[in-house]
Amino acid sequence: MAILKAARLGHPIIRTRARVLTRAEITSSEVQRLIEDMIETMREYDGVGLAAPQIHVPKQIAVIEVNHNPRYPKMPAVPLVVLINPTIVKRSKKLVEDWEGCLSIPDLRGMVPRSESVECEALDRGGKTIKIAADGFFARVIQHECDHLQGMVYLDRMSKLRSLTHLAEFTRYGIGDQTRYD
Ligand code: NI
């Protein structure tokens, strides 16, 4: 396994729509190794999700896991999930705002409106169709990672650019604790 270098905003791949994979590609040893490397890379950087374009690979693969993450200490746990060719097939009209960060946009946080709940169809790492119903933080991470596969980042979704904050100031001024955004 290997820890891969993260592509940052400004690298063209972050703005590139990723390619859909065939079932045969998914089960290839190359893609299976890539998935392992993505999981290891996500854990190394304390990410709660990672999309393949973020490690310079324009393929529709995302991994998500939340497990006592020091970057998001208050968020509920989400077991490891691998999403290939994901599509959000249903989303709640109700939006909720919360803070997001991104490994490709280091040291920043911004408040982003997202659908409170989503249903996502995807293939798993065995090429099997899965359907996930998610709400709250899990739904938010799914939307964030699906955006990456379309060449979008959370900044594109922000309605209040004024909330954009450096992580050090976010912590220093307790911004995440003070703000109410229901
Ligand atoms: Ni991101």
Side-chain angles (χ1 to χ4, degrees), residues 109-129:
R109 286 286 162 87
M111 250 169 55
V112 187
R114 299 280 189 187
S115 289
E116 185 178 45
S117 61
V118 294
E119 283 180 27
C120 176
E121 269 181 23
L123 301 178
D124 69 10
R125 61 183 302 176
K128 196 162 66 72
T129 301

Side-chain angles (χ1 to χ4, degrees), residues 11-21 51-54 56-61 85-86 145-153 157:
H11 192 297
I13 195 138
I14 294 298
R15 291 309 194 171
T16 301
R17 184 168 289 175
R19 187 173 64 75
V20 165
L21 296 188
Q54 294 186 274
H56 307 86
V57 176
K59 293 176 179 168
Q60 291 216 7
I61 307 170
N85 305 342
E145 300 310 330
C146 286
D147 274 357
H148 273 305
L149 300 178
Q150 302 301 323
M152 293 187 69
V153 298
R157 301 288 192 188

Side-chain angles (χ1 to χ4, degrees), residues 22-52:
T22 65
R23 280 197 165 83
E25 283 177 302
I26 292 168
T27 51
S28 70
S29 57
E30 184 199 344
V31 168
Q32 292 296 315
R33 192 171 60 235
L34 175 64
I35 292 168
E36 288 301 321
D37 289 347
M38 286 178 63
I39 293 166
E40 195 181 6
T41 301
M42 169 176 66
R43 289 173 176 165
E44 171 68 18
Y45 290 122
D46 292 322
V48 292
L50 186 74

